[in-house]
Amino acid sequence: MSVEAGLIRALTGIVGRAGVVATLEGRLTYECDMHTFYKGIPDVVVLPESAEQAAAVVRLCRGAHVPIVPRGSGTGLIGGAMAPQGGVMVSMTRMNRILEVDIANRCATVEPGLINLWLSNATRERGYFFAPDPSSQMVSSIGGNVSTNAGGPHCLKYGITVNHILGLQMVTGAGEVVWVGGKAQDRPGYDLTGVMVGAEGTFGLVTAVMVRLLHLPEDVKTLLASFSTIEDASETVSAIIADGIVPAALEMLDEVMIRAIEEGIHAGYPKGASAVLLIELDGPRAEIEAQAVRIEKICRDHLALELRVAQNDAERALLWKGRKEAAGVIGRITPSWLLQDAVVPRSKLPQVMREMLAISARHRLVFANVFHAGDGNLHPIICYDDRVPGELDRAKQANEELLHACLQLGGSVTGEHGVGLDKAKNLPYQFADADLNFMARLRRVFDPDGIMNPGKLLPDHPACGEGFRPVAPTLPGGTWV
Amino acid sequence: MAVSAPALREALAAIVGGDCLVSDPALLAALAVDGVTPRWAARPGSVEEVSRLLALASAEGLHVIPRGSGSSLDCGMPPARVDLLLDCGRLSAILEHSPEDMVATVQAGLSLAALGAALGRHRQRFPVDPVGGASRSIGGVLATSATGPLRFRHGGGRDLLLGLRFVQADGTSTWGGSKVVKSVTGYDVPKLLVGSFGTLGVIVEATIRLHAMPPASGAWLLSFASHASAAAFVAGVLDSTLQPERMVVLNGPALKAAARPQARAAVAISVGSSAEAVESQGGDLRRLGAGLGATVSAIPDDFWLELGAVLAGPVRLRLAGEPSKLCFWLAEMEHLAGEASVSVSALGEAGSGAVRAALGRAALDGGWLLRAVASLREGLSAEGGYLVVERAPREVKDEVDVWGPISPDSLEIMKRIKRQFDPSGILSPGRFVGGL
């Protein structure tokens, strides 16, 4: 349903003229998230400055039966923060304050538009940090992290966003303003905080978040191991975990990715290696020293070509540089690409990597890999050239085949990026009708009229597939994976 | 009710088999919940049987209470009636254990002890250890969101649960989550079931994340002359780079129940890591304690298993305010109890700030308990805290809301959830918060 001039006037009355973007060129900025495959221009964008304003916006839209699309920084990878049916986009970027840092209770309360890294920057001096670290953390917002239940390299040890959220304030699709959770833990009642995290804006607008802060570790140790085959690297990952070590991060890069990184930013990764593992340990010094010794042995037992240990912060930053900027350099080897986020049981990594090689050969496509090996969360980048007739179709087919391979091995559709518009169609591969029906009914509890981010997260929504026209799928340079 | 009692009995027996349906009044009396004897108790042997039982219950309007080991059935408001006690004890299989993935899928009736024994062979564990809870079932532990000392390092069942199969009130078998250690596909339905006390569905299977047993461990008891010193120690550890596995605060009577030397308060703490790290962290912890006047003694591995005695008694409370106020609320409770010579044996989880306390029988005299609950709730509510009466005689429950008040906004959403998934109100009706 399109937005009428009267509604825009009413919205302006709520958020002020500076909080409304109604021009076409202004709205175009908001037509997609980082998954530019999916485009949909909102009819108007509003930028509230308070929960009260956000609630007034929701109530107004609910009365007018106009869909609402919440948006944080727009760095999502799933076609979540875009408006397939038009409607009102609510951007939370003006609500970006730290409301409280409470060291005694190891928590902080922030507005949803606060940039993830800013919180750790604000608490680091006092010895604390916010653990969820999606690769986009220097630009993504905590509200967006909450909505997608974002992960990151270090969630292998620390868990994903939901493990770090003590409470939140939400304006539900019914227009209620509700605070759930808080500093006192284990409150009686249903775990509303737990289900609201990861709802991708389909329950309501997150207007404040209370997060857990963790004490910085005593020490950090970063190792880089290279291997001549991806199987050796995959088996090393399994062996490390089976040894009972939970590294803070355990990342893998394959040959295609290593080459692109070396050509792009010269991170100093070993030439000729088919796979690199980046292993980070953190914690009490004595603990990680002992673990590092065991990891070095495991790597050598699995025929590591080379093993490097960063000796200082500068060397550590260099080892990470390649990983963090991986997606940014992929443009050197391909004009367009598709990105997977499926998960497999860790022990199935060698098998899925073999399967991936077969799929890539079958479709005559190059796959580049840079992913969270420690928790089996794949991020294969399927390279294609959309100027070559038929190549996009082959890439899409390869993408589907790989997803099915992961699910057949007991995996999951998405490990950390979320579902959005992109993967809603894949949920029936993982869930039975009864499971999806349960989720659809849960959604209705929070959003009885179906105005919150329609078409996202669940398949077969009446709105799914309407109102947007897919354009050539591609991810822009500088995407974080 | 459309069907006569004998016909219902027959229908239930047809589902689980006559041997697995209890209808003998004497046996049923022993299964009473808050003094309410169930009409029948059924012991289904499969998820399909649970589905058929609930479908029948739904059609006939039977009130159902799911049961694991039965240890926490006295937590909640008394039921108006119990038509069917659904005992998950036969669902006790380990369906899958992939040691290399550190993931297991188990049936809900499996006990923590049986799971622990099976995992121990691979030097792994499911680090959820409610005190005195070895015989508790996985389903019950999740349904009641029970936690124990290991939560300090590893989180609670909520954090370690990857996927869940449960049967809805109408008998629909439903799965939520995944079987891998990282997934954000769809809503986090398992979290909704954790701590829902059998009011949204019957948990039948869980896929859980496991951890490795540490290669070495050490544990110490630090005894302090005051709550303030214990609190300072806890704060010192929390504000450091030390990473213990467990850290719990015990008051004087709790130390007595645990057969430990007397002190005003003590902190029991353990480190699980490499031998070098255990030694180094242990040294740091002992030094921090000594600086605050603590007497330090090593404690054996079985110390943690024997803590159940600390929380034995006719009345048990669970309360929490701000985590940093743990020792304050412990002292506050002792102060109230001291005025009426009521014994309080308490265990506090450092980190989360949750305190569990067993009160002696004197708490039931002259309405003291009701006044104490009201007074503590008033203070706790000022900082967003709560108090739950986890166990109490029926006559107390008739006088007090054991859950305490819930914020009206949240309760309204909880009521909508309950209506959505149990519209005819057959699953533990009236037992949970706000009359859910």
Side-chain angles (χ1 to χ4, degrees), chain B residues 89-109:
Chain B
R90 281 175 70 209
L91 300 171
S92 59
I94 296 177
L95 302 174
E96 287 175 54
H97 174 209
S98 172
E100 59 273 39
D101 292 316
M102 295 200 163
V103 170
T105 298
V106 303
Q107 288 190 312

Side-chain angles (χ1 to χ4, degrees), chain B residues 43-338:
Chain B
R43 291 166 54 81
S46 68
V47 175
E48 198 216 329
E49 288 181 10
V50 176
S51 283
R52 289 171 62 200
L53 287 172
L54 286 174
L56 178 68
S58 227
E60 300 302 329
L62 304 182
H63 286 189
V64 180
I65 293 185
R67 182 185 200 272
S69 69
S71 71
S72 295
L73 275 185
D74 47 4
C75 186
M77 294 303 285
R81 65 172 212 264
V82 185
D83 298 315
L84 181 64
L85 195 68
L86 203 159
D87 182 340
C88 294
R90 281 175 70 209
L91 300 171
S92 59
I94 296 177
L95 302 174
E96 287 175 54
H97 174 209
S98 172
E100 59 273 39
D101 292 316
M102 295 200 163
V103 170
T105 298
V106 303
Q107 288 190 312
L110 182 72
S111 72
L112 288 176
L115 176 65
L119 298 176
R121 290 193 277 279
H122 300 272
R123 291 203 53 75
Q124 294 184 354
R125 64 181 171 181
F126 176 53
V128 174
D129 57 343
V131 297
S135 63
R136 294 194 61 183
S137 70
I138 302 288
V141 163
L142 292 172
T144 58
S145 199
T147 59
L150 281 170
R151 183 238 192 115
F152 185 84
R153 177 79 184 255
H154 300 288
R158 172 190 194 265
D159 305 295
L160 296 161
L161 180 64
L162 304 172
L164 195 71
R165 180 163 297 285
F166 58 101
V167 180
Q168 294 184 50
D170 66 0
T172 306
S173 171
T174 311
W175 168 261
S178 77
K179 292 192 172 185
V180 285
V181 296
K182 187 180 182 190
S183 172
V184 295
T185 314
Y187 299 125
D188 199 341
V189 170
K191 293 230 174 11
L192 190 61
L193 272 290
V194 173
S196 65
F197 281 81
T199 59
L200 291 178
V202 177
I203 296 173
V204 287
E205 284 172 24
T207 299
I208 48 179
R209 181 177 189 159
L210 310 174
H211 280 267
M213 300 279 244
S217 59
W220 302 270
L221 188 73
L222 296 96
S223 302
F224 294 93
S226 71
H227 287 72
S229 301
F233 175 77
V234 167
V237 175
L238 292 175
D239 194 23
S240 79
T241 56
L242 297 168
Q243 291 188 353
E245 276 203 315
R246 306 172 175 95
M247 181 158 61
V248 298
V249 180
L250 296 90
N251 71 347
L255 287 165
K256 188 176 173 197
R260 296 286 136 187
Q262 268 310 290
R264 195 76 179 85
V267 179
I269 195 162
S270 77
V271 177
S273 186
S274 61
E276 303 88 328
V278 171
E279 195 182 325
S280 135
Q281 289 203 63
D284 289 347
L285 289 167
R286 288 194 299 269
R287 272 188 293 281
L288 182 61
L292 292 159
T295 308
V296 185
S297 57
I299 46 180
D301 288 346
D302 58 5
F303 171 82
W304 309 101
L305 301 175
E306 291 166 2
L307 283 177
V310 170
L311 298 180
V315 177
R316 190 162 98 181
L317 308 180
R318 174 166 68 86
L319 59 92
E322 294 184 356
S324 62
K325 305 274 281 291
L326 187 157
C327 290
F328 170 83
W329 288 112
L330 200 62
E332 197 67 9
M333 194 165 27
E334 286 181 6
H335 175 69
L336 281 173

